Amino acid sequence: GLETATLITGIWHPASVVVPKRTTVNQKPEYMVAKKLLVHALIFISFFLGIKPFAQNLTRIDSLQNALKTAGQDTNRVIILNELIWRLRHNLNHTNLPKYEKEAIALAKELDFPRGVAYAYRNIGYININKGDYSVALSYFDSCLMFSKEKGYRRGEALAYSGIGWALTDIGRSSEGIDNYKKALAIYNKLKDSLRIEDVYINMGNNYYVTGNYPDALNSYMLCLRSAERSGNQGNEGSAYFGLALVFTMQRNYTEALHYYQKQLRISEEKGDILTIAYTFNNMGVIYKELGNYPEALHYFNESRRMKQEQGDVAGTAEAFANIGDLYLNQGEYKKALENFRTALTLFQKSN
């Protein structure tokens, strides 16, 4: 663990690594460092959350909405509705979202379609997490759990336990979160669902990470990695590499952190995932800054900034300028630092 609570500024964390909303008084220094770092988390990264790049996601949403116009009152309509709800979970102001939510549950129940009901409850639970309405989110996950138990739908039970684990972790009830993740893991193991097993390991790793429990975080990410290597799931393999790199960075083991970032980069480059590459470069820049290798840090920060600008990521570009400003500040180049901080501020205001 860390010897002090020195803050490593500028590290980017996937949004799936949540910021605990309520905390206890007596927390370890490592926990407070991790929590402070998570302030820098932005809205998404494709390989961590399973979200497609933004433009591709919008195209899929348009396609689903068109399909909904001709869909009958059958299970296929429920499946379309549930995918729409899931893909809109970060677009909380979408005018049709409440209508989709109500229709998905009502139609799935009318058709006696347990899978449809369970996924609808689960998806709406995550939407309420994104709204910050944790009591409402937990009520939907509980409904998913009770309904799935009643119908004997084990996958639905696992979905519910995972959702409960996420919500409890997010509000600082980390040990209860782990308990629920373990219940989900037990079910997915019986179902031999390697993808979901890997997802749970990632979530457990994230839980341990934010509480400063780095040995268990490393173990969880490594279990995900081993499973992903066997299953050939590159997305979860990349997630595991990123998680391992974050933990090694927090432990000041920069050689290992860079090793895993390089492994993750190879996957992102193969997939052509420019934004993930940009955020990885950001974190590599932070490491080189901590090592005092300012030219190398500047190189990675500038590359990160360039890619984010090309992708239209305004908030990410702002963070890149802020990191460059901080780098110049460390070197006593105050004029350059101020210029970059001002640019970052303007972009942060533009991106809300």
Side-chain angles (χ1 to χ4, degrees):
L2 299 175
E3 294 179 359
T4 68
T6 304
L7 179 63
I8 305 174
T9 57
I11 285 285
W12 183 86
H13 301 76
S16 59
V17 181
V18 292
V19 185
K21 299 297 188 296
R22 292 198 293 270
T23 59
T24 57
V25 177
N26 299 314
Q27 293 167 331
K28 293 190 293 184
E30 293 94 334
Y31 178 90
M32 298 308 294
V33 174
K35 184 183 175 188
K36 288 178 183 177
L37 290 179
L38 290 164
V39 174
H40 296 278
L42 301 176
I43 194 163
F44 77 95
I45 194 165
S46 58
F47 68 79
F48 244 82
L49 296 179
I51 302 173
K52 299 294 182 186
F54 186 66
Q56 190 175 343
N57 194 48
L58 288 179
T59 301
R60 179 60 179 164
I61 288 170
D62 289 341
S63 175
L64 289 166
Q65 287 176 323
N66 288 330
L68 195 63
K69 293 175 183 176
T70 58
Q73 297 295 306
D74 53 19
T75 57
N76 185 55
R77 184 177 185 86
V78 176
I79 292 169
I80 293 171
L81 285 165
N82 273 330
E83 186 178 347
L84 267 172
I85 294 167
W86 185 247
R87 287 181 177 271
L88 288 169
R89 69 191 184 279
H90 295 296
N91 188 359
L92 302 178
N93 295 320
H94 194 282
T95 53
N96 289 328
L97 187 55
K99 181 178 75 173
Y100 294 154
E101 293 173 358
K102 290 178 182 177
E103 185 181 354
I105 293 174
L107 182 58
K109 285 185 174 180
E110 181 183 329
L111 296 169
D112 192 22
F113 183 31
R115 173 187 162 194
V117 177
Y119 273 89
Y121 280 139
R122 188 284 301 260
N123 293 350
I124 298 170
Y126 279 104
I127 283 172
N128 281 281
I129 284 179
N130 291 339
K131 290 179 179 178
D133 295 335
Y134 290 94
S135 60
V136 175
L138 286 166
S139 72
Y140 275 104
F141 293 138
D142 285 338
S143 294
C144 179
L145 181 60
M146 289 186 290
F147 176 85
S148 297
K149 283 185 173 181
E150 179 185 327
K151 295 292 184 178
Y153 183 48
R154 297 306 307 281
R155 186 175 299 278
E157 292 179 46
L159 289 171
Y161 284 130
S162 289
I164 293 168
W166 186 301
L168 293 177
T169 297
D170 205 1
I171 59 177
R173 292 162 61 181
S174 301
S175 62
E176 294 174 76
I178 289 294
D179 289 342
N180 280 275
Y181 282 141
K182 286 180 177 177
K183 290 176 182 177
L185 190 61
I187 294 172
Y188 286 135
N189 274 316
K190 287 182 180 178
L191 295 174
K192 297 182 179 179
D193 188 337
S194 60
L195 174 61
R196 297 297 183 186
I197 289 168
E198 292 155 19
D199 289 343
V200 174
Y201 278 138
I202 284 293
N203 289 338
M204 290 175 69
N206 295 342
N207 179 304
Y208 289 129
Y209 172 78
V210 296
T211 54
N213 183 348
Y214 299 136
D216 283 339
L218 288 173
N219 183 58
S220 295
Y221 292 138
M222 194 59 72
L223 286 169
C224 173
L225 177 59
R226 289 170 184 160
S227 176
E229 287 173 340
R230 289 193 299 270
S231 67
N233 188 314
Q234 278 199 324
N236 281 337
E237 188 178 345
S239 300
Y241 288 144
F242 204 103
L244 289 164
L246 285 173
V247 176
F248 283 123
T249 300
M250 290 298 295
Q251 292 182 320
R252 307 298 198 274
N253 188 341
Y254 298 131
T255 301
E256 283 297 294
L258 289 170
H259 168 72
Y260 283 110
Y261 279 136
Q262 290 290 353
K263 283 180 171 287
Q264 192 282 313
L265 275 175
R266 283 196 288 273
I267 291 175
S268 294
E269 287 166 354
E270 286 179 17
K271 294 167 64 178
D273 190 346
I274 303 301
L275 273 179
T276 297
I277 294 169
Y279 283 107
T280 303
F281 279 170
N282 174 83
N283 288 7
M284 292 173 70
V286 171
I287 289 175
Y288 284 114
K289 184 188 76 173
E290 292 295 310
L291 290 170
N293 188 341
Y294 295 140
E296 198 72 3
L298 184 61
H299 164 73
Y300 280 106
F301 285 149
N302 274 325
E303 282 297 291
S304 178
R305 174 194 53 76
R306 179 184 62 79
M307 290 178 177
K308 291 169 184 175
Q309 283 180 313
E310 289 174 356
Q311 295 296 307
D313 181 1
V314 179
T317 303
E319 187 165 33
F321 275 113
N323 282 339
I324 293 168
D326 187 55
L327 186 65
Y328 282 127
L329 186 64
N330 283 5
Q331 298 174 83
E333 297 191 43
Y334 301 120
K335 184 178 179 180
K336 289 183 178 179
L338 190 58
E339 288 172 358
N340 280 277
F341 285 140
R342 281 176 172 159
T343 302
L345 179 59
T346 300
L347 290 171
F348 275 130
Q349 291 170 336
K350 182 179 178 181
S351 68
N352 296 316

